[in-house]
Amino acid sequence: MKVSVNGKIHEIDVEPEMPLLWVLRDELGITGVKYGCGIAQCGACTVHVDGTAIRSCQLQVGDLDGDVTTIEGLGTPQSLHTVQSAWVEHQVAQCGYCQSGQIMQAASLLDQDNDPSDEKIDEVMSGNLCRCGTYPRIRAAIKTAAKNLREA
C-alpha cells in the first residue's frame, strides 16, 4: 500500500491492521512520533492527518485516508513552524518526550482557532500529558503562537 507522509509517497508492505505509529517509526524510520501508552490517552503519538490531530497508535494504516504530517514535516530547522518557534521562546520542553505530540496538537488547534481562550487551550490540550508538568509554559507558547499567526 502507499502512504503519504510529510509530502512524500511511501510504498509499504505491512498488514492493514498495523497501527500508523509503528508504520511511521519501524517501517519509515520517522521517530519524532513517540510511543507513550498505546491506548490514545497520553498524546505522545499525535500526528496530523489532513491537518487534523489524531493518535497514531490507534489508527490502523489500512484505515488511513489522507496525508500524514509528523513533527518532522511541520517545519524545518531553517524555518520553524510558528508553534515550534513559540516552544523555543518559552523554553517549554524539559525532558521533551511528549513535546512532538504537544506541538502537533497545538498546531492543529491553531489551524482551527487562531485566538483560543485559556479554557479552549486547556480543553484541546487535555489529552496530551506532560510528566514534567510544563502546562503553564505550553499555554503561554500557544498564546504566543496564536498572536504571531494573527499578526502574520
Side-chain angles (χ1 to χ4, degrees), residues 1 3 10 47 56 62-63 79-80 100 103 131 140 143 151-152:
M1 72 181 70
V3 295
H10 299 271
V47 298
S56 63
D63 293 335
S79 178
L80 293 178
S100 64
I103 289 169
R131 291 182 179 183
K143 291 292 217 180
E151 291 174 354

Side-chain angles (χ1 to χ4, degrees), residues 123-146:
E123 174 190 334
V124 171
M125 299 301 294
S126 68
N128 291 74
L129 303 180
C130 175
R131 291 182 179 183
C132 299
T134 64
Y135 301 113
R137 291 191 305 231
I138 289 169
R139 184 190 298 152
I142 292 170
K143 291 292 217 180
T144 295

Side-chain angles (χ1 to χ4, degrees), residues 105-140:
Q105 186 70 50
S108 180
L109 164 63
L110 295 179
D111 282 345
Q112 298 167 23
D113 181 354
N114 72 357
D115 193 14
S117 65
D118 287 347
E119 295 77 21
K120 180 70 170 184
I121 292 170
D122 292 348
E123 174 190 334
V124 171
M125 299 301 294
S126 68
N128 291 74
L129 303 180
C130 175
R131 291 182 179 183
C132 299
T134 64
Y135 301 113
R137 291 191 305 231
I138 289 169
R139 184 190 298 152

Side-chain angles (χ1 to χ4, degrees), residues 76-117:
T76 68
Q78 298 78 24
S79 178
L80 293 178
H81 184 278
T82 305
V83 174
Q84 291 170 314
S85 294
W87 242 247
V88 172
E89 179 182 335
H90 288 273
Q91 299 182 3
V92 172
Q94 274 188 292
C95 83
Y97 196 82
C98 70
Q99 296 307 301
S100 64
Q102 297 277 0
I103 289 169
M104 296 304 288
Q105 186 70 50
S108 180
L109 164 63
L110 295 179
D111 282 345
Q112 298 167 23
D113 181 354
N114 72 357
D115 193 14
S117 65

